[in-house]
Amino acid sequence: MTPRAAAPARKSSPSAPIAAQPTRLAAGILTALLAACGATPEPASPAPAATVRAAGGSGGVNDPAVRARPYVVLVSFDGFRPDYLHRFGTPHFARLAARGARAEGLVTVFPSVTFPGHYSLATGLYPEAHGIVGNRFYDPARDDEFDFRDDDAADGSWWGGEPIWVTAELQGMVTAAFFFPGTEADIGGVRPSHWRPYDGSVPNPERIAQVLAWLALPEGERPHLITLYFSLVDSAGHNLGPDAAGMRRSVEAADRLLGRLLDGVDALPHAGRVALVVVSDHGMAAPDPDRLTVLPDVADLRGVRLVAAGPAMSVHVGEPARSRALRDALNAGLTHARAHLREEIPARLHVRGTPRIGDILVIPDGLGLVGFRRVVERVRLLLRPGMHGWDPHLPEMHGIFLAAGPGIGAGVTLPPVEAVDVYPLVAHLLGLTPHPAVAGDLAPFAAALTEAEQEPAP
Ligand code: AMP
Ligand code: ZN
Ligand code: ZN
């Protein structure tokens, strides 16, 4: 594979979220009908529950032109902080790093929570451009709230930009997802060829078994891009706090899962064609008990809509004059936080381009929290030892990045990379033409990229 030139320089003012396309609805209905009729076969695999086969895109068969390309498994360990790799026994992460490249950290996006973080990894866009500005958020134009725990996660009309699996499908590649925010949705009418509704109770070894089964499919149907997601380290971080010695258990369990995946890949006849890209969506930190704000205690908020944006608060007011007056009233009362009109939010947070972030965003100082009374009380009582969502440039919010396989040099350590740079990297490894609107850049990986051998075309 010949490495292409680096993607164009990072764009400072990303495009607006791509609105729902009417064709998406039709494609979604078609997908549902096909699935209901059993018109598309299930993959040959030990999958315990139904893996849905989607219409659109590659149709589950690789275009002959892409069959000689490598395979990429994009693995996310939710909430995995880089220091865990040094504090605990992680021989399999070390094995992966020795074979390939690792970055000192991964700078995620604001708010540093699961849905925006993963979707920026997947699209190369900041939240103001892809539109997923929280696990939950309100869209004033739709007058509707997105909630990651209900059907919204599968409704493509919420999701802007073009995730890497859609880019791949549109260029004739089979893709598969064992979870990753966005993979359930019909984005631009396209889903991964294989995907499944999120179910956190599916045992982690089962997820790996399915990924290995996909990689063992005949070349025509074998997915070139597979996503895989684990939440165990994030859950432990919330429950114990990131500095607790007890984090050892989940971090070492994550390491064993990675070892199982590496062993399985190594046993494949085409192991040398499989690249692994291992990331996390954000880090974890203990909230600062001296910087807690119960927002409704600060000003009269009757008639406005409040939606938590991590430890910040989005305030939807609806009227510009009232927004300005409320911002001033809030700032007169706030001691550990600051209220910003949308256009005043620091540009480096990359959220002010979308009304979904609120007319006002109240951002806590440092690792403080601006929330509802119930949430603030839980933190005050030390019932929430670990949280995230803060400024992604804080080291505690950094995630991890490691990658090895064809196209990646061995033993390379990179300075921190950005979440938005992962889309250009994966597109490059797969020989895909990236979507032109991405904010991310391939250049930060330059020191780690090599010219990969390509299999002769079948
Ligand atoms: P957060 O609160 O931002 O730490 O979110 C982490 C949680 O998100 C995990 O514990 C999962 O329960 C949940 N999650 C992860 N992926 C998905 C998904 N695709 N759909 C719904 N929930 C998810
Ligand atoms: Zn997360
Ligand atoms: Zn979390």
Side-chain angles (χ1 to χ4, degrees):
M1 192 179 73
T2 311
R4 274 194 314 278
R10 205 181 301 285
K11 292 179 181 63
S12 55
S13 52
S15 54
I18 296 167
Q21 306 291 323
T23 51
R24 286 183 182 163
L25 184 60
I29 292 168
L30 182 63
T31 306
L33 282 174
L34 284 173
C37 306
T40 47
E42 294 287 307
S45 74
T51 298
V52 185
R53 184 79 163 262
S58 69
V61 178
N62 287 307
D63 186 302
V66 304
R67 290 186 190 180
R69 307 259 185 95
Y71 303 93
V72 173
V73 185
L74 175 61
V75 187
S76 167
F77 285 99
D78 198 307
F80 199 119
R81 232 167 65 161
D83 62 313
Y84 296 163
L85 293 172
H86 313 301
R87 285 168 48 202
F88 305 114
T90 52
H92 299 296
F93 279 93
R95 169 152 70 121
L96 184 68
R99 282 185 194 185
R102 75 174 179 89
E104 283 161 354
L106 180 132
V107 182
T108 183
V109 295
F110 181 83
S112 47
V113 297
T114 295
F115 269 53
H118 280 94
Y119 203 51
S120 287
L121 288 161
T123 57
L125 296 171
Y126 292 105
E128 65 188 343
H130 64 55
I132 303 297
V133 295
N135 291 343
R136 290 179 58 235
F137 57 85
Y138 171 73
D139 185 318
R142 295 170 73 131
D143 188 20
D144 197 5
E145 243 178 63
F146 173 97
D147 189 328
F148 74 131
R149 293 189 195 278
D150 51 56
D151 295 346
D152 299 326
D155 174 353
S157 68
W158 286 103
W159 302 78
E162 184 178 285
I164 187 68
W165 54 87
V166 172
T167 303
E169 288 281 341
L170 292 175
Q171 294 177 39
M173 266 183 186
V174 178
T175 67
F178 213 123
F179 307 149
F180 204 93
T183 55
E184 293 165 57
D186 53 329
I187 299 171
V190 179
R191 287 190 172 96
S193 296
H194 308 276
W195 62 278
R196 43 202 301 155
Y198 185 72
D199 175 2
S201 72
V202 176
N204 292 325
E206 242 165 64
R207 307 180 191 194
I208 294 171
Q210 172 66 83
V211 167
L212 294 172
W214 279 326
L215 285 171
L217 284 171
E219 211 170 36
E221 296 119 66
R222 187 183 305 151
H224 279 268
L225 172 67
I226 300 174
T227 66
L228 176 58
Y229 168 86
F230 301 108
S231 63
L232 72 170
V233 175
D234 180 72
S235 303
H238 284 297
N239 294 334
L240 305 173
D243 298 319
M247 285 301 298
R248 174 179 302 280
R249 203 174 145 175
S250 64
V251 170
E252 294 185 355
D255 187 67
R256 287 191 295 277
L257 291 169
L258 181 62
R260 193 188 269 251
L261 179 65
L262 285 172
D263 290 345
V265 168
D266 285 350
L268 293 166
H270 46 281
R273 296 177 61 198
V274 182
L276 256 62
V277 177
V278 176
V279 293
S280 61
D281 54 341
H282 51 72
M284 190 69 67
D288 181 347
D290 296 325
R291 286 171 164 169
L292 305 180
T293 305
V294 177
L295 196 63
D297 287 352
V298 179
D300 180 0
L301 294 166
R302 276 173 296 183
V304 303
R305 182 187 294 260
L306 304 180
V307 185
M313 188 73 87
S314 292
V315 185
H316 291 273
V317 183
E319 227 183 86
R322 186 154 180 235
S323 296
R324 281 192 299 277
L326 184 54
R327 180 231 13 215
D328 292 341
L330 285 166
N331 282 333
L334 288 165
T335 45
H336 308 297
R338 186 165 177 78
H340 306 259
L341 289 176
R342 178 155 71 85
E343 58 271 24
E344 298 167 342
I345 301 171
R348 66 191 169 77
L349 297 180
H350 295 285
V351 287
R352 69 186 191 192
T354 172
R356 291 179 176 182
I357 200 62
D359 299 307
I360 299 170
L361 183 68
V362 187
I363 305 178
D365 296 343
L367 295 171
L369 169 66
V370 174
F372 298 102
R373 185 174 313 283
R374 185 176 41 85
V375 180
V376 170
E377 282 312 314
R378 274 174 59 80
V379 170
R380 217 187 287 284
L381 295 169
L382 305 180
L383 294 173
R384 197 73 172 156
M387 287 182 69
H388 50 87
W390 290 282
D391 186 333
H393 298 91
L394 293 171
E396 294 92 334
M397 290 300 101
H398 287 191
I400 54 167
F401 172 89
L402 304 97
I408 301 158
V412 181
T413 302
L414 300 167
V417 294
E418 283 205 44
V420 292
D421 298 331
V422 170
Y423 171 100
L425 173 71
V426 177
H428 167 81
L429 294 174
L430 291 173
L432 298 168
T433 303
H435 189 278
V438 296
D441 195 348
L442 184 60
F445 299 104
L449 298 177
T450 60
E451 197 146 328
E453 294 285 316
Q454 198 166 358
E455 288 280 299

